[in-house]
């Protein structure tokens, strides 16, 4: 996985770093480290010290809670341009989850001391970080609500309707096993439900691509329509 990476440009595009001046942005870029992670390799395990944040430059990462049986519950997944690991960093406590590469991945790692320096330099940086953490918390609460209050079919429909669409098409960023775990389903159940929605001519599935044929009718399924 060979990529020529412009770290300054990557950080500048992130909402978190967007308002830093050029000097501070360059300083943070110089302080950062590139971390290459092969597919299925772990970035960190539960219990490892949390000493900074990661930005996905290329590839994808999943955060999951492992179990003694070897199973796991996927909490979230991250695509290029997204940051993770910042929440626990401020607590001075170890990670409560594990992070694993879903494909060959290139990460940017920034030490928390450099984050603290950015906050000292620009207090609004802390506000943007808090906003990002609040959005993450909101998403987690929505996930808890979805899993506890919606049936399996409703979870799948809600997920589809929340994804970005181009011409009505949703692209699953990662394989269906990961998405199924995030939704609290087995891969077999997810496949069966997608097939049922296809049979109703609400969607059309082609690998990781799902064409939403009738968004209104699909949404009506959430309310028993």
């Amino acid at each position: 996985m060979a990529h020529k990476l412009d770290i300054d440009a990557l950080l500048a595009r992130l909402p978190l770093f967007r308002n830093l001046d050029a000097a501070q942005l360059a300083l943070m870029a110089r302080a950062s480290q590139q971390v290459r992670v092969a597919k299925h390799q772990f970035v960190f395990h539960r219990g490892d010290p949390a000493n900074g944040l990661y930005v996905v430059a290329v590839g994808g990462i999943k955060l999951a809670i492992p179990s003694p049986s070897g199973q796991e519950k996927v909490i979230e997944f991250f695509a290029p341009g997204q940051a993770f690991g910042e929440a626990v960093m401020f607590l001075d406590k170890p990670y409560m989850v594990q992070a694993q590469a879903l494909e060959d991945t290139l990460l940017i790692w920034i030490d928390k001391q450099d984050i603290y320096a950015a906050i000292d330099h620009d207090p609004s940086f802390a506000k943007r970080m808090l906003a990002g953490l609040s959005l993450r918390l909101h998403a987690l609460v929505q996930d808890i609500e979805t899993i506890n209050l919606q049936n399996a079919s409703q979870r799948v429909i809600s997920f589809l309707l929340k994804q970005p669409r181009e011409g009505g098409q949703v692209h699953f960023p990662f394989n269906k096993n990961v998405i199924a775990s995030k939704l609290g389903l087995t891969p077999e159940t997810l496949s069966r439900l997608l097939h049922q929605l296809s049979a109703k001519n609400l969607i059309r599935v082609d690998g990781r691509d799902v064409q939403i044929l009738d968004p209104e009718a699909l949404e009506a399924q959430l309310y028993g329509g």
Side-chain angles (χ1 to χ4, degrees):
M1 180 177 56
H3 288 91
K4 178 69 174 177
L5 188 63
D6 185 340
I7 298 178
D8 296 61
L10 174 66
L11 297 182
R13 287 194 299 270
L14 295 176
L16 184 62
F17 301 103
R18 193 168 292 155
N19 292 335
L20 291 182
D21 61 43
Q24 185 65 23
L25 194 62
L27 181 64
M28 188 159 294
R30 288 196 299 271
S32 67
Q33 300 178 30
Q34 295 187 37
V35 180
R36 298 182 184 276
V37 190
K39 183 177 181 179
H40 301 316
Q41 182 181 346
F42 287 94
V43 181
F44 54 74
H45 292 86
R46 186 172 186 171
D48 287 349
N51 296 320
L53 68 82
Y54 293 88
V55 177
V56 181
V58 178
I61 293 291
K62 69 175 178 181
L63 298 187
I65 299 174
S67 74
S69 67
Q71 300 298 312
E72 63 178 16
K73 171 65 177 76
V74 175
I75 302 301
E76 192 55 273
F77 35 76
F78 298 91
Q82 294 182 302
F84 65 95
E86 69 272 35
V88 183
M89 175 184 74
F90 289 109
L91 297 176
D92 289 324
K93 290 187 176 181
Y95 289 114
M96 300 173 64
V97 298
Q98 62 188 21
Q100 186 179 22
L102 293 166
E103 51 193 294
D104 288 348
T105 298
L106 176 60
L107 301 172
I108 304 302
W109 182 79
I110 304 175
D111 189 277
K112 67 180 180 181
Q113 298 304 325
D114 294 305
I115 299 295
Y116 292 154
I119 292 172
D120 291 340
H121 177 81
D122 176 15
S124 68
F125 182 81
K127 293 181 181 179
R128 291 194 300 279
M129 182 162 282
L130 283 172
L133 292 173
S134 297
L135 286 173
R136 191 78 52 78
L137 176 61
H138 181 68
L140 286 173
V141 171
Q142 284 187 319
D143 284 348
I144 293 170
E145 180 182 25
T146 294
I147 290 175
N148 285 278
L149 300 181
Q150 292 185 332
N151 63 36
S153 180
Q154 289 172 323
R155 289 179 227 167
V156 173
I157 293 170
S158 293
F159 177 81
L160 290 173
L161 292 174
K162 288 177 183 177
Q163 300 310 299
R165 301 198 292 269
E166 291 187 12
Q169 182 169 287
V170 172
H171 178 72
F172 286 174
F174 308 112
N175 69 53
K176 292 176 185 175
N177 290 1
V178 174
I179 294 169
S181 179
K182 178 173 169 57
L183 296 177
L185 305 172
T186 65
E188 294 77 15
T189 299
L190 175 59
S191 294
R192 175 173 54 81
L193 292 171
L194 290 173
H195 179 75
Q196 290 176 358
L197 294 173
S198 297
K200 295 179 179 179
N201 292 318
L202 297 173
I203 64 173
R204 184 171 56 246
V205 181
D206 181 13
R208 289 189 182 182
D209 293 322
V210 177
Q211 185 76 29
I212 297 181
L213 302 175
D214 192 336
E216 292 76 16
L218 185 63
E219 186 172 3
Q221 296 289 310
L222 288 172
Y223 310 103

